[in-house]
Amino acid sequence: MRIVFAGTPAPAVPSLTALLDSRHEVAAVITRPPAPRGRGRTLHPSPIGALAESAGVPVLTPRSARDPEFAEQLAAIEPEAAAVVAYGNLLPPPILAIPAHGWVNLHFSLLPAWRGASPVPAAIRAGDDITGASTFRLEAGMDTGPVYGLITEPIGDGDTAGDLLDRLATAGARLLVATLDGLADGTVVALPQSADGVSYAGKITVADARLDWSMPATAVHRTIRSLTPDPGAWTDSPWGRLVLGPVAHTDRTDLPPGRLEAGKRDVLVGTGTTAVRLGRLTAPGRKPMDAADWARGARPEPGTLLG
């Protein structure tokens, strides 16, 4: 089929790569406009924009999908179907109606669970044992369209959001290609989502990533993993904002929530239950480092509180 692909960040790259290698023709790519980055604030294309340019595929970067000029450009391409993975912009009904086979969205959850912008962090934070990826027909509602297919993926106790998203992006790319193959062959059917088990995962802000040390250790562990690497769980401290990497459980029960205890090899922090052992952290203006190495330089006083 002649298709267009809409996507923006790195997790969408495996899908575009798989489609470029498939039997389908990627006639154009739609992505967010180049954004300023680095000290010079120079403009850089999105990961999807950069891949499309290197592959010689025309790139559209509308400021708004409601722009009439964008609708005209898309209609002129005459796509038979469209694929979308983490594009980052809502597509209005007139745009959804252009391809005859509609828009196929790859979403990183087992719909109807965790509809919305951050399904992978939500699944880890909730303590889910299993997650997955779904392909569904995009419609005006938030991730409500009928589902073509899904894959499952276990969540390990040490998985960060980055680890899990990498695996889902790769496996989901194969699912997306298989779905488009089925549409072209007339062998795939979209089934309505269940009315049971619906949940939502909104966009995560930096303010949302502030740790609450009064939570149980299990919740602290899940929260940090769910926010790693982006935007990064953080806590206030006498040294400024510390961004924390994954932590480990301990059996210490004598540290109150937020109390920091630094030994020669371990840096512990109290929670609402047992203390956790800090792994890596990033202090203001510094690169990520082992927590014990940081403590040897910072020399925290006994009784120091974080939070």
Side-chain angles (χ1 to χ4, degrees), residues 96-131:
L96 296 179
I98 289 176
H101 290 290
W103 291 69
V104 179
N105 192 163
L106 173 64
H107 186 75
F108 298 119
S109 83
L110 297 175
L111 292 172
W114 305 126
R115 294 171 177 169
S118 56
V120 173
I124 294 175
R125 195 163 185 164
D128 293 353
D129 295 322
I130 297 289
T131 186

Side-chain angles (χ1 to χ4, degrees), residues 98-272:
I98 289 176
H101 290 290
W103 291 69
V104 179
N105 192 163
L106 173 64
H107 186 75
F108 298 119
S109 83
L110 297 175
L111 292 172
W114 305 126
R115 294 171 177 169
S118 56
V120 173
I124 294 175
R125 195 163 185 164
D128 293 353
D129 295 322
I130 297 289
T131 186
S134 308
T135 50
F136 68 99
R137 181 164 179 138
L138 201 62
E139 57 182 31
M142 174 64 78
D143 301 333
T144 57
V147 173
Y148 291 110
L150 57 84
I151 56 168
T152 59
E153 179 70 29
I155 301 177
D157 189 54
D159 275 340
T160 66
D163 297 332
L164 191 52
L165 191 53
D166 284 347
R167 299 204 300 271
L168 291 172
T170 300
R174 295 192 290 269
L175 175 64
L176 181 62
V177 172
T179 300
L180 290 167
D181 288 347
L183 280 175
D185 298 338
T187 57
V188 69
V189 176
L191 300 176
Q193 293 185 34
S194 171
D196 299 325
V198 175
S199 53
Y200 293 92
K203 186 176 180 180
I204 299 171
T205 68
V206 173
D208 297 330
R210 182 177 185 172
L211 273 178
D212 175 2
W213 292 106
S214 69
M215 295 190 299
T218 299
V220 169
H221 186 251
R222 289 175 184 164
T223 298
I224 293 177
R225 288 166 44 220
S226 76
L227 298 169
T228 302
D230 186 48
W234 59 273
T235 185
D236 278 331
S237 80
W239 304 271
R241 180 178 295 186
L242 301 178
V243 178
L244 306 178
V247 298
H249 292 291
T250 77
D251 57 4
R252 288 279 300 273
T253 59
D254 58 335
L255 288 179
R259 177 72 63 83
L260 180 70
E261 180 182 283
K264 290 184 178 179
R265 296 182 178 178
D266 293 331
V267 181
L268 307 183
V269 183
T271 74

